Amino acid sequence: MSAIMICKARDGHVELNVSLSGETVWLSLNQMSALFDRDKSVISRHLSNIFEVNELEKHAVVANFATTAADGKTYHVDYYNSEANLLYHRWITRQH
């Protein structure tokens, strides 16, 4: 059985359209920023540290998906899987 963790922003409102692949949820930095109520640069820096100390292997938890933006153009965006999101969540909860 799979478990789902639902997180809310401090104001209680979060709306995300997530990508699913198998049993894994994939979030972009923009989505993680909205979910965790943190600046993208903060999340990116801490994810980089996680990869640098080999707490997670980047190739195992990051996928690059083509995403169509509001301007109609297609961009390649890094998405982070559930494991990366949970590890980041554990890190921020330890900080508070």
Side-chain angles (χ1 to χ4, degrees):
M1 177 180 282
S2 298
I4 298 173
M5 181 180 73
I6 299 173
C7 299
K8 294 182 182 179
R10 289 186 181 121
D11 67 0
H13 181 77
V14 172
E15 184 176 324
L16 296 174
N17 292 317
V18 301
S19 299
L20 299 173
S21 178
E23 295 182 12
T24 301
V25 174
W26 295 87
L27 300 177
S28 68
L29 281 178
N30 285 338
Q31 292 170 316
M32 290 177 71
S33 177
L35 180 64
F36 297 119
D37 194 28
R38 297 284 190 275
D39 189 83
K40 285 187 339 182
S41 64
V42 172
I43 295 169
S44 179
R45 183 173 61 248
H46 293 297
L47 287 171
S48 292
N49 288 338
I50 287 168
F51 301 138
E52 187 175 311
V53 299
N54 295 315
E55 202 164 344
L56 289 176
E57 293 184 29
K58 186 173 183 176
H59 73 274
V61 297
V62 179
N64 191 272
F65 298 138
T67 304
T68 303
D71 62 6
K73 294 181 183 176
T74 300
Y75 298 92
H76 290 276
V77 177
D78 284 340
Y79 283 76
Y80 299 84
N81 76 5
S82 305
E83 190 174 4
N85 283 282
L86 289 171
L87 189 57
Y88 177 78
H89 181 261
R90 283 187 207 126
W91 182 87
I92 63 170
T93 56
R94 285 191 309 241
Q95 303 305 307
H96 297 287

